[in-house]
Amino acid sequence: MQVYLVGGAVRDQLLGHPYHEKDYVVVGATPEQMLAQGYQPVGKDFPVFLHPETKDEYALARTERKAGHGYHGFEFYTDPAVTLEQDLMRRDLTINAIAQDNNGNLYDPYNGQKDLEQRVLRHVSEAFAEDPLRVLRIARFAARYKKLGFKVADDTFRLMTQLAESGELEALTPERVWKETARALMEDHADEYFEVLRACGALKVLFPELDQLYGIPQRPEYHPEIDCGIHTMMSLQQACRANYSLDVRFAVLVHDLGKALTPQEELPRHIMHEERGIQPVTEVCERLRVPTNTKQLAIAVCKEHLKCHQALTLKPGTLWRLLQRLDVLRRPERVEAFVQACECDSRGRLGLEDRDYSQAQYVLDAMQVVRSIKAQDLPPDVQGSDIGEMLIERRIAALAELKAQHAALTI
C-alpha cells in the first residue's frame, strides 16, 4: 500500500500559496485493508476514507469513464491494480495531477510543474470534456490565480467552449453551480470567474441575466465605463478589494440586473431599473437555491441602492422608512452589508474607484441613532399604540437632527 499527497495541497505548496485541506490517494489497497487500519468510510460513489486521527481524506486510486449525462454520469473503478498514473490522469488540470510521497518526492507524469512555471491552466486529457463541472472549476482557478498571471490554455479553452455549447452545463445541479460560484466569489479576483465563463459561452447558459448586461449602455456622465456588464465587474472588484462577505459580493453581482430589461427607447437612461431587477434577482436566487440571508440582502440592494446613494438628501421620514425596510432594529448587520454593497456600486465606475462615499457613514450613523431610541426611554404615561407612534416620531426627529448636524459640517 502506497500513500501520496495529491491535488491542491501539492499544487499550492509548489506555488507558495496557502492551503488548508490535504487529500491523499492510496495505491494498492482494498476497502477492507483501510477499514482494518481504522479509517472511516465516507464515500458514496467510490471508496473515500477519513484518517482516524487527522480526519484528512484518503481515496483509493481509481479510474472513471463517462456512462451518462451531466456531472453524475460517471462509473468509477477501484482496484489495487490501479496505478498512480491512471488515477492522476482522471484529474482536471495538469497542475492538480502532481503527487508527493511521504519522503517529499514528486510524481508528475503530465508535466504539471512545467505548467505551474509557465502559469498555464491546462487539462490533463481529452476526458476533461466529459465533466461539465470542470468549466466552472477552471474559471474558479483562473480567478484564484489571476494575481500570479495564470491563463487558460488555448486547447483547454476550446474544450470549455465545446462543453458550453453541448448542453451538458444544463445538467449541473443548482447546488454544484452555487458551490463553485460561492467559492469563486470569495477569491481576490472574483470578476475573472465570470469573465472566463462569458468568454467560453458558459455565462449565457448558467447566468443569462448577468450575460445580458453586456452591451447595455449607461449615461457616460454617471458611468464613464458605459457598459452595464463592465460596471458590474468593476463593482465586484471593489467588493473583493475591500474583502467583503459572500453576501455582499453576491448582492453587488446582481444589483443591476434590471438594467438588462430597460426598454430600448429609454436607453441609456435606466428609469425604474431597481424595481425591474427584483424579478431576475429572485429568479437567479431560486434557480441556484441561494441561501435565504444571501437572497434577502441581494433583493434589498437591488431595490434600494439608489436610496442609499441619495441618503444625504433624503427627508428624515424617508430615511427612516428605508432603514425600517432593511430591518434596522433586528438586523443591524444587514444595514451594514447593504451600505457596503452600495459603496461598491458607487466606486465601481471608471475613474471613480477611490471616490469618497460619505453616504456610507451617514447611513450607519442614522442606524445608530434610531437604534438608540428605545421604548423604556419614553414617559411612563405613554401606553399601547401610542408607544409605537412616539418611537417613530422620536426616531424621525433624531434623524432630522442628524441631517442638520451633517449639513452644518459640510457648509
Side-chain angles (χ1 to χ4, degrees):
M1 187 171 93
Q2 298 169 301
V3 177
Y4 300 90
L5 181 67
V6 292
V10 179
R11 175 197 69 227
D12 288 341
Q13 178 179 293
L14 293 172
L15 282 173
H17 195 277
Y19 63 92
H20 306 288
E21 296 181 357
K22 292 183 178 181
D23 295 318
Y24 296 84
V25 64
V26 183
V27 178
T30 64
E32 291 74 22
Q33 287 175 302
M34 300 295 287
L35 293 171
Q37 294 188 37
Y39 287 83
Q40 302 168 355
V42 294
K44 295 180 180 179
D45 299 321
F46 43 81
V48 178
F49 302 84
L50 297 182
H51 190 281
E53 296 177 2
T54 66
K55 304 304 178 184
D56 290 330
E57 284 194 2
Y58 287 69
L60 296 187
R62 64 187 186 269
T63 59
E64 63 186 35
R65 70 181 184 88
K66 187 75 168 177
H69 196 54
Y71 170 69
H72 293 290
F74 291 89
E75 289 182 354
F76 298 93
Y77 173 73
T78 61
D79 186 272
V82 175
T83 66
L84 177 64
E85 288 74 12
Q86 288 175 314
D87 181 90
L88 294 175
M89 178 179 280
R90 67 176 177 77
R91 297 175 185 272
D92 50 5
L93 294 175
T94 60
I95 64 172
N96 295 332
I98 308 171
Q100 184 180 57
D101 66 19
N102 292 331
N103 296 318
N105 299 310
L106 294 176
Y107 297 83
D108 182 17
Y110 305 107
N111 299 314
Q113 293 177 88
K114 179 179 178 181
D115 284 337
L116 282 176
E117 293 171 1
Q118 296 183 350
R119 300 300 196 245
V120 174
L121 300 172
R122 189 190 314 279
H123 64 284
V124 175
S125 73
E126 293 295 312
F128 174 94
E130 296 177 351
D131 185 355
L133 185 66
R134 288 178 170 176
V135 174
L136 279 72
R137 281 176 53 81
I138 303 316
R140 177 165 61 82
F141 284 126
R144 174 179 293 182
Y145 298 120
K146 180 179 180 179
K147 60 187 174 185
L148 298 180
F150 274 81
K151 299 292 183 182
V152 180
D154 291 342
D155 49 354
T156 303
F157 186 81
R158 173 179 53 81
L159 292 178
M160 293 170 66
T161 302
Q162 290 177 6
L163 270 171
E165 295 172 348
S166 70
E168 282 275 312
L169 292 176
E170 296 169 6
L172 292 173
T173 65
E175 292 82 3
R176 295 299 305 186
V177 175
W178 172 248
K179 182 178 179 180
E180 288 296 324
T181 301
R183 293 179 69 181
L185 280 169
M186 293 311 297
E187 299 292 352
D188 290 343
H189 295 277
D191 54 294
E192 185 70 6
Y193 172 77
F194 299 98
E195 295 289 10
V196 170
L197 291 181
R198 178 170 177 258
C200 73
L203 193 67
K204 64 184 176 184
V205 178
L206 298 171
F207 303 95
E209 300 88 350
L210 190 59
D211 186 68
Q212 289 164 8
L213 287 175
Y214 287 88
I216 302 294
Q218 301 172 102
R219 295 172 66 179
E221 62 267 35
Y222 297 115
H223 285 275
E225 74 287 349
I226 299 176
D227 189 283
C228 289
I230 294 174
H231 163 62
T232 296
M233 291 300 108
M234 292 182 69
S235 299
L236 182 56
Q237 289 170 11
Q238 290 291 322
C240 297
R241 175 182 171 186
N243 197 27
Y244 286 147
S245 68
L246 171 63
D247 288 358
V248 171
R249 296 184 192 207
F250 180 73
V252 169
L253 179 71
V254 299
H255 80 281
D256 263 353
L257 293 187
K259 289 184 175 179
L261 303 176
T262 299
Q264 189 73 23
E265 61 272 15
E266 293 183 11
L267 294 175
R269 302 176 69 198
H270 292 277
I271 303 167
M272 298 291 292
H273 75 274
E274 318 95 278
E275 292 293 331
R276 289 194 183 103
I278 295 173
Q279 182 176 344
V281 171
T282 301
E283 289 174 353
V284 170
C285 291
E286 292 178 351
R287 185 173 70 243
L288 298 183
R289 299 177 189 173
V290 172
T292 300
N293 287 341
T294 309
K295 173 183 175 181
Q296 289 175 342
L297 178 65
I299 292 174
V301 172
C302 171
K303 184 178 180 181
E304 310 281 8
H305 62 274
L306 286 191
K307 284 286 192 295
C308 190
H309 298 337
Q310 299 162 354
L312 300 177
T313 59
L314 292 181
K315 294 179 180 179
T318 304
L319 181 55
W320 159 245
R321 288 187 289 276
L322 170 64
L323 292 170
Q324 258 192 320
R325 292 193 295 274
L326 295 173
D327 206 2
V328 63
L329 300 179
R330 295 185 304 172
R331 300 287 302 276
E333 71 280 0
R334 179 176 293 168
V335 178
E336 294 175 4
F338 168 80
V339 167
Q340 291 171 349
C342 294
E343 179 183 50
C344 294
D345 174 36
S346 176
R347 290 179 173 169
R349 297 180 290 169
L350 188 63
L352 303 173
E353 293 86 349
D354 298 308
R355 186 183 187 184
D356 180 59
Y357 190 69
S358 55
Q359 294 94 322
Q361 191 58 53
Y362 183 73
V363 174
L364 293 178
D365 289 344
M367 175 184 73
Q368 296 300 332
V369 164
V370 300
R371 285 177 56 82
S372 68
I373 299 172
K374 301 176 181 178
Q376 56 262 40
D377 301 325
L378 299 179
D381 59 331
V382 179
Q383 299 293 324
S385 61
D386 292 340
I387 294 177
E389 292 180 9
M390 182 166 285
L391 282 173
I392 292 174
E393 289 176 3
R394 289 198 172 191
R395 285 166 177 156
I396 292 176
L399 290 176
E401 185 177 344
L402 176 68
K403 184 179 177 67
Q405 291 173 350
H406 186 272
L409 291 173
T410 55
I411 292 176

